[in-house]
Amino acid sequence: MTSQTGRCLCGAIRYKVTGPIGLQGHCHCETCRRATSSPITTFFVALKDDVTFEGIEPTLYRSSPDVKRTFCPKCGTPISYEHATYPDEIHLYATSLDDPSRISPERHDFWNERVDWLTVTDELDKHEG
């Protein structure tokens, strides 16, 4: 597998993923929607040891006791999501990749929390949590 690279809007934070990509999906939960100001968040999972950051340090925000989210302090771009249940994983946002077409979402999570005005017509599995 070739590495994948991404960045924030202003380019002050860049990252590189050198290992395999895990789960790839769409999240509809309220906290992800609020954190990204969008009706759906598309993410992919990587091992923390396979991700390196360059540039300025992302700012950390704890959106709940078990969740860490980071963002660029210059432009506000969301960078990552981490949950204490999965200490070796980091979730990154697919559209922050330099080539987001390399991600192929496999599922919808928190389907029960989706906004009702967004029409989704794909055949991906829809999970309630």
Side-chain angles (χ1 to χ4, degrees):
M1 179 200 143
T2 58
S3 63
Q4 303 209 46
T5 58
R7 66 177 180 85
C8 66
L9 177 63
C10 71
I13 297 174
R14 295 198 59 80
Y15 66 86
K16 184 175 189 177
V17 181
T18 55
I21 298 300
L23 177 67
Q24 303 164 55
H26 302 296
C27 187
H28 296 266
C29 81
E30 181 182 6
T31 56
C32 281
R33 286 185 289 133
R34 290 189 183 278
T36 61
S37 293
S38 61
I40 188 171
T41 302
T42 304
F43 65 93
F44 64 96
V45 178
L47 293 176
K48 284 184 190 178
D49 289 344
D50 293 339
V51 179
T52 55
F53 289 95
E54 296 177 354
I56 65 174
E57 184 82 17
T59 297
L60 174 67
Y61 173 69
R62 288 194 175 272
S63 58
S64 68
D66 289 337
V67 174
K68 292 192 273 186
R69 296 175 184 271
T70 66
F71 62 93
C72 176
K74 284 182 73 175
C75 67
T77 300
I79 302 295
S80 68
Y81 166 96
E82 296 176 45
H83 197 286
T85 304
Y86 310 103
D88 298 330
E89 295 180 355
I90 186 168
H91 298 204
L92 299 162
Y93 299 99
T95 54
S96 68
L97 284 167
D98 292 327
D99 183 4
S101 68
R102 295 178 67 190
I103 296 298
S104 297
E106 305 158 349
R107 59 191 278 164
H108 290 270
D109 290 327
F110 295 94
W111 184 250
N112 54 311
E113 293 185 36
R114 71 190 180 281
V115 293
D116 61 1
W117 47 260
L118 178 68
T119 302
V120 177
T121 60
D122 64 44
E123 299 298 322
L124 299 176
D125 288 339
K126 277 92 175 163
H127 298 267
E128 297 298 310

